[in-house]
Amino acid sequence: MSRKRPTIADLRAMKGKRQLTMLRVLTMDEAEAAERAGVDIVSVPPELVLNPQYRDAAPSLFTMPGDNFYEIGTGDDFVRWAFQLYKASADAVYCSAGFATVKRLADDNIPVIGHVGLIPSRATWTGGFKAVAKTADSAMQIFEAVKQYEAAGAVGAEIEVVPVEVANAISERTSLIMLSMGAGTGCDAQYLFADDILGQNRGHIPRHSKVYRNFAAEYDRLQAERIAAFSEYVADVNSLAYPEDKHVVHMDPDQLGLFMEKIDAG
């Protein structure tokens, strides 16, 4: 039985009732896999949802395209960007720009997801890539940011790498749909990157990630096979083992004779 794609109203109605699942997916294959696995929400690059085939692969995924604010521009740029994505079937857009830009989008009825806690594009303000809100004062700053998102008209916010106690307390005190990345189960959804789940990430593995497969090893195996196949091809060409007779087309002997007469006469 096919699933119904959730609306904002559906997600709000589920707040506090069950944990939703969320993935960052980058390809059509990953989107289709998320659909078939029963994932609820995906974050995607804008170009993926703009692909006309996207909804064929992921008809029921609540889809949130996003990019860093400095890639998009001013508030007006964000609105033009968001309208294009909303028209292409996005269910909400991620926005890490300022509250004024979030309000600008919300005023035009675009569902907006903000970001609090460790925000990679703003990590310099909080001391780099590490947990935040570990003191009462810094935790209050996260709570106040959530309230500012509420006032600006956002529908949700990713909350990244903050203590679970802080995330729980904030989620209980906000109407926003809270998307936990390393912030525990007191929020409304658990958010991981497909790259980490699949073991494709060769760099640092965040503490909150869980690796379920080892695609990196499989890619290494495939690359070794790719090199071996190309090397065999080079050797075959050098030794004249390729092409064989079955790889080429021959001309009818009578037509070949006529052709040779003409070409020699010319």
Side-chain angles (χ1 to χ4, degrees), residues 215-234:
F215 274 33
E218 184 65 11
Y219 290 145
D220 287 343
R221 184 189 70 79
L222 289 172
Q223 181 67 354
E225 287 294 300
R226 187 177 291 116
I227 294 167
F230 292 174
S231 298
E232 289 170 24
Y233 162 69
V234 170

Side-chain angles (χ1 to χ4, degrees), residues 7-27:
T7 64
I8 295 294
D10 293 330
L11 294 183
R12 282 175 163 167
M14 285 187 274
K15 183 174 175 63
K17 295 180 180 177
R18 75 172 179 90
Q19 290 281 285
L20 300 169
T21 53
M22 180 172 176
L23 288 176
R24 173 69 172 176
V25 301
L26 301 179
T27 69

Side-chain angles (χ1 to χ4, degrees), residues 30 47 50 110 140 156 174 193 230 241:
E30 289 178 352
E47 58 270 18
L50 291 172
I110 296 294
M140 275 305 298
T174 180
F193 279 29
F230 292 174

